[in-house]
């Protein structure tokens, strides 16, 4: 198991690049956050998920992608997610099946109680909606984050990926 020095970890973290899936739509607010904060990012096709990191590790010739270690799937709101569960459930479930590492589901413009109070515009019943989310949490080790204000999505994505990378490097798992 290779261990990086604190100095090497700091440099790797600084140079890590956020990978935004090319199929990701309506993510201008996130890209703008990356630009404003001078966070390196690229748009590339991901096999699953919407965001991950790629890093250049010392002594490794090619970039290393964290898609198998940590990925974020983003949904713009509960309408989109409930639509996925009712109209294309097999597709979204196959996304989660492909995930081999930590998978985070970021639900923008929503609070947990919005599901319970049926504050979304589909006929998907709150009990069924919550049941699906809880089953997916257990089945796929999914971490769910409700973010009422999507202005902070870029920050959530970047910090989540960065801290996972830091822990992987500290543990010698990369």
């Amino acid at each position: 198991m290779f261990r990086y020095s604190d100095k090497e970890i700091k440099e790797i973290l600084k140079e890590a690049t956020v990978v935004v899936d090319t199929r990701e739509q309506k993510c201008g607010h996130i890209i703008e956050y990356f630009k404003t904060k001078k966070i390196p990012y690229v748009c590339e096709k991901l096999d699953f998920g919407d965001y991950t990191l790629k890093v250049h590790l010392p002594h490794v010739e090619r970039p290393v992608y964290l898609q198998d270690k940590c990925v974020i799937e983003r949904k713009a709101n509960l309408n989109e997610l409930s639509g996925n569960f009712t109209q294309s459930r097999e597709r979204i479930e196959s996304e989660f099946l492909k995930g081999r590492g930590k998978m985070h589901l970021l639900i923008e413009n929503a609070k947990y109680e919005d599901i319970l109070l049926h504050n979304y515009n589909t006929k998907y019943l709150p009990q069924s909606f919550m049941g699906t989310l809880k089953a997916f949490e257990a089945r796929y080790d999914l971490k769910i984050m409700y973010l009422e204000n999507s202005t902070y999505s870029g920050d959530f994505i970047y910090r989540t990926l960065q801290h996972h990378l830091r822990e992987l490097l500290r543990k010698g798992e990369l």
Side-chain angles (χ1 to χ4, degrees), residues 78-93 121-124:
L78 293 173
N79 297 334
E80 178 185 3
L81 184 58
S82 63
N84 289 153
F85 287 159
T86 57
Q87 297 166 7
S88 55
R89 185 183 185 99
E90 290 169 3
R91 187 191 59 75
I92 193 167
E93 192 155 9
N121 294 327
T122 66
K123 294 181 180 179
Y124 198 37

Side-chain angles (χ1 to χ4, degrees), residues 35-73:
K35 287 178 181 177
T36 301
K37 298 295 183 180
K38 296 180 174 44
I39 295 168
Y41 74 93
V42 294
C43 293
E44 296 179 8
K45 183 185 178 297
L46 295 173
D47 293 331
F48 56 91
D50 296 319
Y51 300 89
T52 194
L53 285 177
K54 76 174 176 180
V55 296
H56 295 277
L57 300 174
H59 318 297
V60 178
E61 291 182 28
R62 290 188 258 163
V64 174
Y65 287 78
L66 267 64
Q67 189 170 17
D68 288 342
K69 303 283 186 185
C70 181
V71 69
I72 297 172
E73 175 74 19

Side-chain angles (χ1 to χ4, degrees), residues 48-50 67 69-73 92 94-106 140-144 164:
F48 56 91
D50 296 319
Q67 189 170 17
K69 303 283 186 185
C70 181
V71 69
I72 297 172
E73 175 74 19
I92 193 167
S94 74
E95 276 287 297
F96 296 133
L97 273 169
K98 291 177 190 175
R100 291 175 281 284
K102 298 270 187 200
M103 182 169 276
H104 297 266
L105 174 60
L106 170 60
Y140 306 115
D141 193 24
L142 184 66
K143 311 293 183 247
I144 299 175
H164 275 281

Side-chain angles (χ1 to χ4, degrees), residues 134-148:
K134 292 301 177 185
F136 281 19
E137 277 181 320
R139 195 176 297 157
Y140 306 115
D141 193 24
L142 184 66
K143 311 293 183 247
I144 299 175
M145 172 64 176
Y146 300 89
L147 200 55
E148 188 174 4

Side-chain angles (χ1 to χ4, degrees), residues 147-158:
L147 200 55
E148 188 174 4
N149 187 339
S150 62
T151 301
Y152 302 105
S153 296
D155 184 77
F156 170 82
I157 290 165
Y158 182 66

